[in-house]
Amino acid sequence: MKITKNFSMSEYTRSYTARRNNIDNQPPEALLPIITNLFENVVQLVRDEFGPTRINSGYRSEQLNKVVGGSARSQHCLGEAVDLEVRGISNKLVADWIITNCKFDQLILEFHTEGDDDSGWIHVSCKGNLDSNRSESLVSYHDSLGRGKYDVYTG
């Protein structure tokens, strides 16, 4: 099933962890409009601007989310979030472009190291109701004790 011209549902739901653990990772039909909204307002636009875009983590069923240690409030479980990268393009550059050009709820430049374009990834979400989007931009990093921390991302 196609979500947009360049993305299929199988790309969004693919999970090696789900496969290894025999977990059904198909979203309920009620989430299809929300998933389509995410792809039309963010993911396809990134693909149109930068070229082939890799989805690192997409939809997660509740069971899969528990197995991977995701947040109980993860937007991945709601069909609202995706983690992505564009090969050969700095994650920071892509994140900055999304902030300027897309309607989104939350963007997190995850564990990016300045000067290492391939480091980290981009988590981005978009609510089904675009008026509910917070346009919140964060950066995540590890503190001196190795704990994940978040700060406001200013580009």
Side-chain angles (χ1 to χ4, degrees):
M1 172 187 165
K2 283 286 206 188
I3 302 172
T4 60
K5 67 181 179 181
N6 294 111
F7 293 96
S8 67
M9 187 62 73
S10 64
E11 287 176 274
Y12 186 54
T13 60
R14 178 179 43 237
S15 167
Y16 299 112
T17 302
R19 217 177 295 167
R20 274 192 313 274
N21 291 281
N22 200 30
I23 297 171
D24 178 8
N25 196 45
Q26 293 307 305
E29 195 169 317
L31 294 184
L32 297 182
I34 296 167
I35 293 166
T36 300
N37 185 62
L38 168 65
F39 277 77
E40 288 178 348
N41 286 287
V42 181
V43 184
Q44 184 63 51
L45 299 179
V46 169
R47 168 65 164 81
D48 292 345
E49 180 68 18
F50 295 103
T53 301
R54 184 175 74 204
I55 297 173
N56 296 338
S57 182
Y59 175 74
R60 294 185 204 147
S61 65
E62 283 187 41
Q63 185 180 6
L64 176 60
N65 194 54
K66 287 177 186 173
V67 170
V68 300
S71 165
R73 298 177 304 145
S74 175
Q75 288 182 284
H76 287 274
C77 298
L78 304 173
E80 295 177 342
V82 65
D83 297 346
L84 57 81
E85 294 180 81
V86 179
R87 182 180 294 264
I89 307 290
S90 164
N91 287 318
K92 182 180 184 312
L93 177 70
V94 175
D96 290 344
W97 187 88
I98 292 170
I99 290 167
T100 303
N101 295 284
C102 298
K103 296 177 182 175
F104 65 95
D105 182 51
Q106 185 181 62
L107 179 139
I108 307 172
L109 182 58
E110 301 257 15
F111 306 109
H112 176 73
T113 301
E114 194 65 42
D116 182 358
D117 289 347
D118 289 332
S119 65
W121 63 91
I122 300 160
H123 166 93
V124 63
S125 64
C126 184
K127 294 199 177 274
N129 176 354
L130 295 178
D131 294 333
S132 302
N133 285 328
R134 299 171 286 175
S135 300
E136 178 181 59
S137 303
L138 303 170
V139 60
S140 70
Y141 61 94
H142 290 109
D143 69 10
S144 61
L145 299 175
R147 295 177 299 211
K149 297 286 186 180
Y150 295 90
D151 280 333
V152 172
Y153 177 63
T154 57

